[in-house]
Amino acid sequence: DEQRGERGRAGPPRGGGAAPRLYPLTKQRAKPAVPIGGAYRLIDVPMSNCLNSGISKMYILTQFNSVSLNRHLARTYNFGNGIMYGGNGFVEVLAATQTPGLGGKEWFQGTADAVRQYSWLFEDIKNKDVQDIVILSGDHLYRMDYMAFVDRHREVDADITIGCLPMDDERASDFGLMKIDDTGRIIEFAEKPTGDALKAMQVDTTVLGLDAEAAAANPYIASMGIYVFKKDALVNFLNKDYPQDNDFGGEIIPKAAADGFKVQAYLFNDYWEDIGTIKSFFEANLNLAKNPPQFEFYDARAPIYTSPRFLPPAKIEKCHVKDAIISHGCSLSDCTVEDAIVGLRSQVGKGCTIKHAMIIGADYYESDEQKAKVIAEGGVPVGIGEGSVISNAIIDKNARIGKNCTITNAAGVEDLVDEENGVYIRSGIVTILRNATIPDGTTI
C-alpha cells in the first residue's frame, strides 16, 4: 500500500555463488533455482516473503549458471510497469560483471563484493527515498515478516541488524554465533566454536524475547545470514571503511561492531532451515510431506508464489499413496508412493515403488508418438519406468529411468561420482542427474 511504499527499503536477495555442497543439483542451475516442494524453486521463498512483507523493490545478484533462475524470475515476478506497487515496484536481476578490481578484471569476490559492485544503484534516482537495505540469502526455507525486522532496526536506530536464531548445545557449533549485551547489541562474534570457546558464547536469550524455559534450552544465538543495513552506512562500509573486505558475515559486520557501529540482534523464533547440502535439502523436502509438516508452502495469509504453469491436476489411478506431495501435471498408475515428493509432470509407471525419495519432475511431456519413437530406437521415455523401485534418492529433472530398475543404494555407499552414467552419491543419497538415462534393469 501507499504508506508502505513511502517508507522506502529495497531488498537484494543474493543469487548465490557456485554451490559445491548441492552439486549435482547445481550442475546446470544456480542454487536459488533448485526445485523444492514439488512445484517451487528456492528463490520463491525470499521473494514471496518480500512481497508478503510489502517490500516491492528487489534486486537479485547472480553469478553462476543463472539461466534457469533468470527465466523463472521473469515468468513469475514480472511486475510489468510496476503498477501493482504504485508504479515504483521492480524486480531486477543484476548479473555478475567483470569490473576492474585489485587483481585486474574480477568477478564478484563474495557476498559484500557483489553488493559493492552495484552499490552505485542505491544512489540511483528511483532509490532516493530508500533508507534501509535488506540483504537476504537465496537458499533458506522459512516464512518471515521482514517489515517487523526493519521496524526493530529503526526503533533502536541500528546501523546493522542481524536476523538470528535461538540455538541449543547440539547444533550451535555448526553456526556463526554472537554474544549480546542486555540491550540486544552484538558485542562478539565466533565462527563455529567448539568446547570452551562454545560455552563462552552462551547468552541470555530472554533479552530478545524468549521465555525463561526456552532461553534455558537455547542459550546461543546463531546468524541466519540475513541483514538490514542503513543505506548510508552500507555504502560507507563497502566503499570507504572496508573496501578490501568481500564478505558480510565473516569480515565487514564483525569489524563494524568492533569499530563502534551499532550492530543489533533480531530474534526469529520459528521454523528455519538452511538447505545448503544434499542431505539437508533432501530431508527438508521429505519433511514437507510429513503430517503435520514443520513448514507448509500453503498459507492463506502469506502464500509462497511460483511460476504459473497452467498444468492439469495430478492423475492418480489405483495407487497406494501415503505422506506424499504429488504436484501438478503428474500421472501415476498402479504404484506405491510413500514419504515422497513427486514434482511437476512426473510420469510414474505401473508396479513402481517410490519410498523416501524425491522425484523433481520434467520440463515437458512426451506424446505417445514420441515415446514410441524413443522406445523403437532403444531409448527410455522421460519418467519412471514400470516395475522400478526407488528409495533414498533424488531423481533430477527430465531423467529417463528404465523399466525394472532398482535405485536404493542397498550397499550403503557413502560417496560415488559416476557422472558419465548419470549417477552421483553423496552422504548416502543417490542423485540421478538431470537429463540422464538409466537403462532397463539397472541396479544402483
Side-chain angles (χ1 to χ4, degrees):
D1 59 22
E2 204 52 56
Q3 180 204 346
R4 281 198 161 180
E6 292 290 305
R7 289 161 70 178
R9 62 255 151 272
R14 260 278 291 147
R21 297 181 307 154
L22 259 183
Y23 194 87
L25 298 177
T26 49
K27 186 176 180 177
Q28 290 171 316
R29 52 168 92 87
K31 184 158 60 166
V34 169
I36 181 171
Y40 304 88
R41 290 179 187 263
L42 283 177
I43 191 77
D44 291 328
V45 174
M47 295 294 289
S48 302
N49 282 339
C50 280
L51 294 175
N52 293 332
S53 304
I55 295 178
S56 59
K57 296 181 174 185
M58 290 176 260
Y59 291 115
I60 292 97
L61 294 136
T62 69
Q63 176 143 320
F64 289 90
N65 285 338
S66 48
V67 177
S68 61
L69 179 63
N70 295 353
R71 187 190 302 133
H72 177 74
L73 289 166
R75 282 179 184 164
T76 312
Y77 304 101
N78 177 5
F79 292 170
N81 54 12
I83 278 172
M84 267 171 78
Y85 293 94
N88 61 9
F90 59 83
V91 172
E92 291 179 12
V93 177
L94 306 177
T97 49
Q98 281 183 299
T99 50
L102 299 172
K105 283 195 178 297
E106 294 180 328
W107 294 99
F108 292 162
Q109 300 296 307
T111 50
D113 188 55
V115 178
R116 176 184 293 121
Q117 309 259 12
Y118 278 105
S119 59
W120 56 271
L121 273 172
F122 304 147
E123 309 298 318
D124 193 47
I125 187 73
K126 68 179 174 188
N127 295 325
K128 68 181 188 305
D129 297 331
V130 171
Q131 301 161 32
D132 301 288
I133 310 274
V134 183
I135 295 185
L136 305 168
S137 168
D139 53 357
H140 298 154
L141 183 60
Y142 64 113
R143 183 179 271 106
M144 179 175 181
D145 178 3
Y146 298 139
M147 268 326 289
F149 187 24
V150 173
D151 287 344
R152 179 66 185 154
H153 166 78
R154 289 177 176 172
E155 203 178 294
V156 298
D157 195 31
D159 295 298
I160 309 171
T161 303
I162 303 180
C164 56
L165 303 154
M167 277 288 152
D168 56 16
D169 275 311
E170 200 182 325
R171 292 181 67 197
S173 58
D174 294 338
F175 290 87
L177 302 183
M178 296 165 298
K179 218 166 175 177
I180 49 171
D181 66 13
D182 57 6
T183 66
R185 184 169 178 167
I186 297 171
I187 48 175
E188 197 184 326
F189 293 83
E191 191 55 39
K192 301 184 179 174
T194 54
D196 290 344
L198 175 63
K199 289 277 175 277
M201 293 305 290
Q202 288 196 354
V203 294
D204 176 10
T205 39
T206 57
V207 170
L208 298 175
L210 286 188
D211 62 41
E213 194 182 333
N218 298 287
Y220 302 97
I221 52 170
S223 170
M224 295 166 74
I226 68 173
Y227 318 107
V228 185
F229 283 84
K230 271 186 188 161
K231 181 176 81 174
D232 299 341
L234 177 61
V235 172
N236 286 337
F237 292 149
L238 294 172
N239 300 322
K240 288 188 191 148
D241 301 330
Y242 316 111
Q244 311 290 326
D245 292 321
N246 295 327
D247 192 57
F248 283 120
E251 296 172 330
I252 288 180
I253 293 172
K255 285 185 182 180
D259 290 344
F261 291 99
K262 190 164 188 187
V263 182
Q264 197 77 14
Y266 175 82
L267 193 75
F268 177 71
N269 189 21
D270 205 339
Y271 177 83
W272 178 91
E273 201 57 63
D274 177 359
I275 323 191
T277 65
I278 286 284
K279 192 172 174 20
S280 63
F281 171 80
F282 186 61
E283 286 170 0
N285 268 286
L286 295 190
N287 283 343
L288 296 169
K290 282 194 172 142
N291 199 11
Q294 291 169 295
F295 180 88
E296 277 195 274
F297 277 93
Y298 180 73
D299 179 326
R301 290 156 311 176
I304 304 289
Y305 306 102
T306 193
S307 169
R309 300 182 181 89
F310 313 112
L311 289 169
K315 184 170 142 199
I316 300 172
E317 303 170 41
K318 299 196 226 109
C319 297
H320 167 82
V321 179
K322 182 184 172 196
D323 292 345
I325 289 174
I326 296 174
S327 201
H328 329 144
C330 291
S331 172
L332 290 75
S333 60
D334 250 334
C335 58
T336 297
V337 180
E338 277 186 35
D339 187 21
I341 303 280
V342 181
L344 297 162
R345 303 185 189 85
S346 292
Q347 309 287 305
V348 182
K350 289 181 177 161
C352 285
T353 301
I354 295 169
K355 279 187 184 176
H356 201 65
M358 179 178 183
I359 317 292
I360 289 180
D363 288 317
Y364 54 87
Y365 289 120
E366 287 178 323
S367 66
D368 291 344
E369 292 80 15
Q370 286 168 320
K371 283 181 192 167
K373 187 169 182 273
V374 168
I375 291 166
E377 290 168 358
V380 175
V382 170
I384 315 293
E386 293 181 5
S388 289
V389 177
I390 295 173
S391 78
N392 210 30
I394 298 171
I395 311 296
D396 206 345
K397 268 197 177 171
N398 309 328
R400 301 166 181 270
I401 311 290
K403 294 181 179 179
N404 303 311
C405 292
T406 304
I407 303 173
T408 57
N409 191 14
V413 175
E414 197 57 22
D415 293 287
L416 170 86
V417 179
D418 183 9
E419 291 191 42
E420 217 167 288
N421 292 312
V423 181
Y424 198 100
I425 301 180
R426 193 161 198 172
S427 309
I429 297 156
V430 182
T431 301
I432 302 300
L433 271 62
R434 186 174 165 181
N435 300 324
T437 298
I438 306 295
D440 292 359
T442 305
T443 296
I444 299 168

mmCIF file of all heavy atoms in Angstrom, residues 69-89:
data_model
loop_
_atom_site.group_PDB
_atom_site.id
_atom_site.type_symbol
_atom_site.label_atom_id
_atom_site.label_comp_id
_atom_site.label_asym_id
_atom_site.label_seq_id
_atom_site.Cartn_x
_atom_site.Cartn_y
_atom_site.Cartn_z
ATOM 1 N N LEU A 69 17.408 -19.587 -13.423
ATOM 2 C CA LEU A 69 16.967 -18.647 -12.387
ATOM 3 C C LEU A 69 16.365 -17.401 -13.040
ATOM 4 O O LEU A 69 15.269 -16.959 -12.681
ATOM 5 C CB LEU A 69 18.145 -18.250 -11.487
ATOM 6 C CG LEU A 69 17.817 -17.244 -10.386
ATOM 7 C CD1 LEU A 69 16.816 -17.826 -9.404
ATOM 8 C CD2 LEU A 69 19.071 -16.810 -9.650
ATOM 9 N N ASN A 70 17.056 -16.861 -14.025
ATOM 10 C CA ASN A 70 16.558 -15.652 -14.695
ATOM 11 C C ASN A 70 15.230 -15.909 -15.396
ATOM 12 O O ASN A 70 14.311 -15.087 -15.360
ATOM 13 C CB ASN A 70 17.586 -15.150 -15.719
ATOM 14 C CG ASN A 70 18.876 -14.695 -15.052
ATOM 15 O OD1 ASN A 70 18.942 -14.634 -13.831
ATOM 16 N ND2 ASN A 70 19.887 -14.406 -15.838
ATOM 17 N N ARG A 71 15.111 -17.088 -16.016
ATOM 18 C CA ARG A 71 13.874 -17.438 -16.720
ATOM 19 C C ARG A 71 12.715 -17.522 -15.729
ATOM 20 O O ARG A 71 11.632 -16.990 -15.959
ATOM 21 C CB ARG A 71 14.073 -18.791 -17.431
ATOM 22 C CG ARG A 71 12.909 -19.179 -18.340
ATOM 23 C CD ARG A 71 13.049 -20.610 -18.824
ATOM 24 N NE ARG A 71 14.294 -20.836 -19.542
ATOM 25 C CZ ARG A 71 15.109 -21.883 -19.321
ATOM 26 N NH1 ARG A 71 14.818 -22.774 -18.409
ATOM 27 N NH2 ARG A 71 16.209 -22.032 -20.018
ATOM 28 N N HIS A 72 12.953 -18.181 -14.599
ATOM 29 C CA HIS A 72 11.909 -18.332 -13.585
ATOM 30 C C HIS A 72 11.492 -16.969 -13.021
ATOM 31 O O HIS A 72 10.299 -16.690 -12.862
ATOM 32 C CB HIS A 72 12.432 -19.238 -12.462
ATOM 33 C CG HIS A 72 11.465 -19.407 -11.328
ATOM 34 N ND1 HIS A 72 10.340 -20.198 -11.436
ATOM 35 C CD2 HIS A 72 11.435 -18.878 -10.079
ATOM 36 C CE1 HIS A 72 9.667 -20.145 -10.288
ATOM 37 N NE2 HIS A 72 10.312 -19.352 -9.460
ATOM 38 N N LEU A 73 12.469 -16.124 -12.725
ATOM 39 C CA LEU A 73 12.149 -14.802 -12.169
ATOM 40 C C LEU A 73 11.336 -13.966 -13.158
ATOM 41 O O LEU A 73 10.380 -13.294 -12.780
ATOM 42 C CB LEU A 73 13.441 -14.059 -11.806
ATOM 43 C CG LEU A 73 14.190 -14.616 -10.587
ATOM 44 C CD1 LEU A 73 15.605 -14.055 -10.524
ATOM 45 C CD2 LEU A 73 13.443 -14.306 -9.295
ATOM 46 N N ALA A 74 11.711 -14.039 -14.430
ATOM 47 C CA ALA A 74 10.997 -13.254 -15.448
ATOM 48 C C ALA A 74 9.554 -13.720 -15.590
ATOM 49 O O ALA A 74 8.635 -12.912 -15.740
ATOM 50 C CB ALA A 74 11.728 -13.367 -16.791
ATOM 51 N N ARG A 75 9.349 -15.046 -15.498
ATOM 52 C CA ARG A 75 7.981 -15.582 -15.640
ATOM 53 C C ARG A 75 7.124 -15.305 -14.418
ATOM 54 O O ARG A 75 5.918 -15.128 -14.514
ATOM 55 C CB ARG A 75 8.047 -17.104 -15.817
ATOM 56 C CG ARG A 75 8.444 -17.548 -17.204
ATOM 57 C CD ARG A 75 8.491 -19.074 -17.218
ATOM 58 N NE ARG A 75 8.947 -19.570 -18.503
ATOM 59 C CZ ARG A 75 9.369 -20.811 -18.703
ATOM 60 N NH1 ARG A 75 9.388 -21.675 -17.706
ATOM 61 N NH2 ARG A 75 9.750 -21.204 -19.889
ATOM 62 N N THR A 76 7.752 -15.333 -13.244
ATOM 63 C CA THR A 76 6.982 -15.307 -12.005
ATOM 64 C C THR A 76 6.791 -13.907 -11.439
ATOM 65 O O THR A 76 5.729 -13.565 -10.956
ATOM 66 C CB THR A 76 7.682 -16.181 -10.938
ATOM 67 O OG1 THR A 76 8.015 -17.436 -11.521
ATOM 68 C CG2 THR A 76 6.776 -16.422 -9.742
ATOM 69 N N TYR A 77 7.846 -13.109 -11.460
ATOM 70 C CA TYR A 77 7.796 -11.822 -10.755
ATOM 71 C C TYR A 77 7.890 -10.650 -11.723
ATOM 72 O O TYR A 77 8.569 -9.674 -11.470
ATOM 73 C CB TYR A 77 8.930 -11.766 -9.719
ATOM 74 C CG TYR A 77 8.855 -12.928 -8.763
ATOM 75 C CD1 TYR A 77 9.681 -14.039 -8.917
ATOM 76 C CD2 TYR A 77 7.917 -12.949 -7.728
ATOM 77 C CE1 TYR A 77 9.589 -15.130 -8.069
ATOM 78 C CE2 TYR A 77 7.812 -14.035 -6.878
ATOM 79 C CZ TYR A 77 8.650 -15.120 -7.052
ATOM 80 O OH TYR A 77 8.553 -16.205 -6.217
ATOM 81 N N ASN A 78 7.203 -10.781 -12.841
ATOM 82 C CA ASN A 78 7.223 -9.712 -13.828
ATOM 83 C C ASN A 78 6.166 -8.678 -13.445
ATOM 84 O O ASN A 78 4.977 -8.882 -13.646
ATOM 85 C CB ASN A 78 6.918 -10.318 -15.212
ATOM 86 C CG ASN A 78 6.846 -9.257 -16.276
ATOM 87 O OD1 ASN A 78 7.106 -8.089 -16.009
ATOM 88 N ND2 ASN A 78 6.490 -9.656 -17.477
ATOM 89 N N PHE A 79 6.602 -7.563 -12.886
ATOM 90 C CA PHE A 79 5.657 -6.530 -12.453
ATOM 91 C C PHE A 79 5.251 -5.606 -13.599
ATOM 92 O O PHE A 79 4.555 -4.633 -13.398
ATOM 93 C CB PHE A 79 6.264 -5.652 -11.339
ATOM 94 C CG PHE A 79 6.477 -6.358 -10.043
ATOM 95 C CD1 PHE A 79 7.195 -5.758 -9.029
ATOM 96 C CD2 PHE A 79 5.962 -7.621 -9.827
ATOM 97 C CE1 PHE A 79 7.403 -6.408 -7.825
ATOM 98 C CE2 PHE A 79 6.161 -8.274 -8.623
ATOM 99 C CZ PHE A 79 6.883 -7.664 -7.625
ATOM 100 N N GLY A 80 5.742 -5.897 -14.809
ATOM 101 C CA GLY A 80 5.412 -5.025 -15.929
ATOM 102 C C GLY A 80 5.900 -3.622 -15.640
ATOM 103 O O GLY A 80 7.057 -3.405 -15.351
ATOM 104 N N ASN A 81 4.985 -2.665 -15.633
ATOM 105 C CA ASN A 81 5.410 -1.275 -15.402
ATOM 106 C C ASN A 81 5.321 -0.885 -13.929
ATOM 107 O O ASN A 81 5.331 0.286 -13.582
ATOM 108 C CB ASN A 81 4.558 -0.326 -16.243
ATOM 109 C CG ASN A 81 3.085 -0.571 -15.980
ATOM 110 O OD1 ASN A 81 2.736 -1.270 -15.025
ATOM 111 N ND2 ASN A 81 2.222 -0.014 -16.801
ATOM 112 N N GLY A 82 5.207 -1.887 -13.036
ATOM 113 C CA GLY A 82 5.215 -1.583 -11.606
ATOM 114 C C GLY A 82 3.880 -1.107 -11.064
ATOM 115 O O GLY A 82 3.787 -0.660 -9.927
ATOM 116 N N ILE A 83 2.818 -1.209 -11.878
ATOM 117 C CA ILE A 83 1.504 -0.690 -11.459
ATOM 118 C C ILE A 83 1.046 -1.318 -10.142
ATOM 119 O O ILE A 83 0.456 -0.663 -9.300
ATOM 120 C CB ILE A 83 0.462 -0.927 -12.582
ATOM 121 C CG1 ILE A 83 0.598 0.190 -13.613
ATOM 122 C CG2 ILE A 83 -0.953 -0.968 -12.031
ATOM 123 C CD1 ILE A 83 -0.216 0.017 -14.860
ATOM 124 N N MET A 84 1.380 -2.628 -9.971
ATOM 125 C CA MET A 84 0.972 -3.326 -8.737
ATOM 126 C C MET A 84 1.405 -2.575 -7.488
ATOM 127 O O MET A 84 0.790 -2.648 -6.450
ATOM 128 C CB MET A 84 1.656 -4.698 -8.675
ATOM 129 C CG MET A 84 0.881 -5.827 -9.244
ATOM 130 S SD MET A 84 1.952 -7.297 -9.318
ATOM 131 C CE MET A 84 1.961 -7.849 -7.638
ATOM 132 N N TYR A 85 2.542 -1.878 -7.568
ATOM 133 C CA TYR A 85 3.109 -1.263 -6.375
ATOM 134 C C TYR A 85 3.182 0.261 -6.518
ATOM 135 O O TYR A 85 4.195 0.874 -6.237
ATOM 136 C CB TYR A 85 4.496 -1.853 -6.086
ATOM 137 C CG TYR A 85 4.352 -3.288 -5.695
ATOM 138 C CD1 TYR A 85 4.473 -4.299 -6.641
ATOM 139 C CD2 TYR A 85 4.016 -3.633 -4.389
ATOM 140 C CE1 TYR A 85 4.288 -5.620 -6.281
ATOM 141 C CE2 TYR A 85 3.822 -4.943 -4.033
ATOM 142 C CZ TYR A 85 3.958 -5.938 -4.978
ATOM 143 O OH TYR A 85 3.765 -7.236 -4.609
ATOM 144 N N GLY A 86 2.084 0.833 -7.009
ATOM 145 C CA GLY A 86 2.024 2.287 -7.114
ATOM 146 C C GLY A 86 3.035 2.842 -8.093
ATOM 147 O O GLY A 86 3.483 3.975 -7.973
ATOM 148 N N GLY A 87 3.435 1.992 -9.069
ATOM 149 C CA GLY A 87 4.329 2.476 -10.111
ATOM 150 C C GLY A 87 5.800 2.412 -9.761
ATOM 151 O O GLY A 87 6.649 2.717 -10.590
ATOM 152 N N ASN A 88 6.157 2.004 -8.499
ATOM 153 C CA ASN A 88 7.580 2.038 -8.178
ATOM 154 C C ASN A 88 8.159 0.687 -7.755
ATOM 155 O O ASN A 88 9.270 0.620 -7.253
ATOM 156 C CB ASN A 88 7.880 3.112 -7.112
ATOM 157 C CG ASN A 88 7.140 2.830 -5.814
ATOM 158 O OD1 ASN A 88 6.553 1.772 -5.649
ATOM 159 N ND2 ASN A 88 7.171 3.779 -4.899
ATOM 160 N N GLY A 89 7.393 -0.393 -7.942
ATOM 161 C CA GLY A 89 7.937 -1.707 -7.599
ATOM 162 C C GLY A 89 8.736 -2.271 -8.756
ATOM 163 O O GLY A 89 8.466 -1.986 -9.907
#
